[in-house]
Amino acid sequence: MSPRTAPPRFGPLQLALAAAGTAAATLDLFMDGWVAAQYARRGHPGWAALSLAVLAAASAAAQACSWLWLRSDPPALRPAVPVLLLAALHLLQLGFFFRCLYALKVGWRVCWAKAEEEDERRHMAFISHDISMLRLFETFLENTPQLTLLLYIILRTNKAELSQGLGMGTAFLCVSWSLLDYHQSLRSFLQDKYELSLGSSIIYFLWNLFLICPRILALALFALLWPYGVAVHFSLVWLALFLWVSLQGTDFMESPGPEQLYRAMVAVILYFSWFNVARGRTLHRSIIYHGFMLVDSTLLGLAWLWGRAPEEEEHSYLIPVVSAALPCYLLGLGLRVTYYKWLHPNVQVQQEGRYDEVDASGGGDGVEFRSFLEPDLVNRRMQWLAQTHFSLSQPAQQHFLNGAAAV
């Protein structure tokens, strides 16, 4: 059995980052409301309704996950508030913000109230992992569609308002924040892990940005000519991705019904960005996914070029932008390869004769997950994702399964 390891340390810096994440989520919510109000005030109620509908759908999905997780968590880890109050907060779409404030309260106690016991730090890690996952869900269900809508409206009107610029800025901030925070949360389950350096974090952010931006541009351009065609395209591609996720046999939620909700949300994430949900080598799945996204986005861009009127000069400046989209996507793929080959923390681990492979290449030998004597204090949802995200050798996989069986 692996030796017991302490949970990640939670200090003032982590508390400040948690507060910044809560502030960013709050700012993003207000910005979405402001942008929708500006649409309605300028005589575009349809755009306002669509923006609010995306916000409501994303919030409802995230609140449903949050409530289902609270119901399945050990009683000792639930907030000490009445169940009816928790239910009311989630119905009012405030469950995620309640979790954030509760995490700040526990984090403050860990940092400043001399609460140095490992159980307290594990409790904080448990809460942080759930918040990280919920933030990722809400970001891709709300911010990436909002970015597509904002870019479509800017291209349609051929001008950018202050509210739209700020809305795009906060949306990109939330996307980058959620991706980095999620990756760090997964890494916290590894023993003897190496933290991402500043340079690695920048490259990690950039390759995600360079892969997501062309996708959003292609969708916005396609919507310029066929606004309702985007809904058809999303439905068909989402269905294909949902089936692909289902065939990979996810086991994230506690029961089959909620598992379908999880798969549906993962399919939305995959519509915009790569997200691993299955065990084992991910290289071939990643190649299939990025190849499909490259072909699909290219066809969307070519459809816009084919469908636009030859004499149209209003959007002639977009032709060089579209021409740069493919090199941008290829640059993102190149940065991803660079990250995993030279800048990923596994390079340091391999120099010591250990492996810590993530995502892109192969089955690592000797990957070990943190082993806790109190299994109820381990976030089993994020632990399962860490197991699927990181390649395991057979002994490490057996150790992980034995630990899960003990829960």
Side-chain angles (χ1 to χ4, degrees):
M1 180 176 181
S2 299
R4 181 185 182 184
T5 56
R9 189 181 186 284
F10 191 89
L13 176 60
Q14 287 72 25
L15 181 63
L17 291 175
T22 303
T26 305
L27 176 63
D28 180 60
L29 178 64
F30 279 108
M31 286 305 307
D32 289 337
W34 183 32
V35 170
Q38 293 298 313
Y39 292 154
R41 189 173 66 85
R42 290 180 169 83
H44 300 289
W47 293 349
L50 183 57
S51 180
L52 292 176
V54 169
L55 177 62
S59 179
Q63 302 297 326
C65 279
S66 176
W67 174 249
L68 290 169
W69 295 351
L70 281 173
R71 296 287 292 173
S72 63
D73 286 344
L77 295 178
R78 298 174 191 169
V81 297
V83 175
L84 289 179
L85 177 58
L86 284 176
L89 288 172
H90 284 79
L91 286 175
L92 295 173
Q93 307 302 297
L94 297 174
F96 175 73
F97 289 100
F98 171 78
R99 280 179 174 271
C100 291
L101 295 176
Y102 180 67
L104 292 177
K105 176 184 176 181
V106 176
W108 180 271
R109 188 167 67 243
V110 170
C111 289
W112 305 113
K114 309 298 182 184
E116 295 296 333
E117 294 84 359
E118 286 190 6
D119 284 357
E120 284 287 344
R121 284 189 287 154
R122 290 195 182 106
H123 188 190
M124 186 61 214
F126 190 103
I127 300 170
S128 299
H129 290 147
D130 273 350
I131 290 176
S132 174
M133 195 66 196
L134 288 171
R135 182 181 290 119
L136 185 75
F137 283 158
E138 194 161 11
T139 293
F140 276 94
L141 268 66
E142 188 250 318
N143 291 121
T144 45
Q146 291 281 15
L147 279 171
T148 306
L149 176 62
L150 280 171
L151 184 57
Y152 160 76
I153 292 173
I154 290 173
L155 296 177
R156 177 74 179 270
T157 60
N158 211 27
K159 62 179 180 180
E161 303 288 344
L162 175 62
S163 60
Q164 294 171 329
L166 292 176
M168 291 187 71
T170 56
F172 272 118
L173 174 64
C174 288
V175 170
S176 59
W177 188 288
S178 66
L179 286 168
L180 280 173
D181 185 57
Y182 171 74
H183 188 68
Q184 289 282 28
S185 292
L186 290 186
R187 291 196 59 77
S188 69
F189 285 94
L190 291 180
Q191 285 188 350
D192 303 323
K193 65 184 178 65
Y194 287 86
E195 299 289 347
L196 291 178
S197 66
L198 177 61
S200 298
S201 298
I202 292 174
I203 296 300
Y204 187 87
F205 163 71
L206 286 177
W207 70 254
N208 280 287
L209 182 66
F210 287 153
L211 293 179
I212 292 174
C213 284
R215 179 64 173 172
I216 292 176
L217 175 63
L219 291 168
L221 290 174
F222 186 71
L224 279 178
L225 295 179
W226 300 284
Y228 297 105
V230 174
V232 176
H233 175 269
F234 171 79
S235 300
L236 294 176
V237 175
W238 175 86
L239 180 60
L241 293 172
F242 176 79
L243 294 175
W244 192 46
V245 172
S246 300
L247 290 173
Q248 294 181 60
T250 64
D251 187 23
F252 181 76
M253 304 292 271
E254 298 292 332
S255 57
E259 188 68 25
Q260 300 306 313
L261 173 63
Y262 167 72
R263 293 173 180 176
M265 292 190 294
V266 168
V268 176
I269 296 175
L270 287 168
Y271 187 75
F272 295 98
S273 179
W274 165 254
F275 188 80
N276 185 37
V277 295
R279 301 175 187 171
R281 292 175 61 93
T282 63
L283 177 60
H284 298 123
R285 290 195 300 270
S286 181
I287 291 174
I288 293 172
Y289 170 80
H290 286 295
F292 175 80
M293 286 293 110
L294 181 59
V295 171
D296 184 66
S297 297
T298 301
L299 289 176
L300 292 176
L302 291 176
W304 174 78
L305 286 172
W306 174 75
R308 64 186 294 271
E311 67 277 5
E312 181 185 354
E313 297 183 359
E314 185 179 10
H315 295 118
S316 59
Y317 66 92
L318 286 175
I319 294 179
V321 175
V322 174
S323 301
L326 178 59
C328 179
Y329 194 89
L330 296 177
L331 176 60
L333 292 177
L335 287 176
R336 181 178 180 183
V337 172
T338 300
Y339 171 82
Y340 284 117
K341 189 168 182 62
W342 289 290
L343 298 176
H344 193 273
N346 67 347
V347 174
Q348 304 174 51
V349 180
Q350 289 174 356
Q351 290 174 352
E352 299 179 4
R354 296 174 57 85
Y355 293 82
D356 179 27
E357 294 289 341
V358 187
D359 267 353
S361 61
D365 295 326
V367 176
E368 295 185 47
F369 284 81
R370 293 184 178 275
S371 175
F372 299 98
L373 295 183
E374 297 83 1
D376 283 345
L377 296 179
V378 179
N379 193 314
R380 289 170 291 177
R381 293 176 288 271
M382 289 296 286
Q383 192 179 40
W384 182 86
L385 282 174
Q387 182 195 13
T388 62
H389 202 75
F390 294 82
S391 300
L392 292 178
S393 65
Q394 191 63 34
Q397 191 175 73
Q398 188 60 45
H399 165 68
F400 185 93
L401 294 174
N402 290 339
V407 175

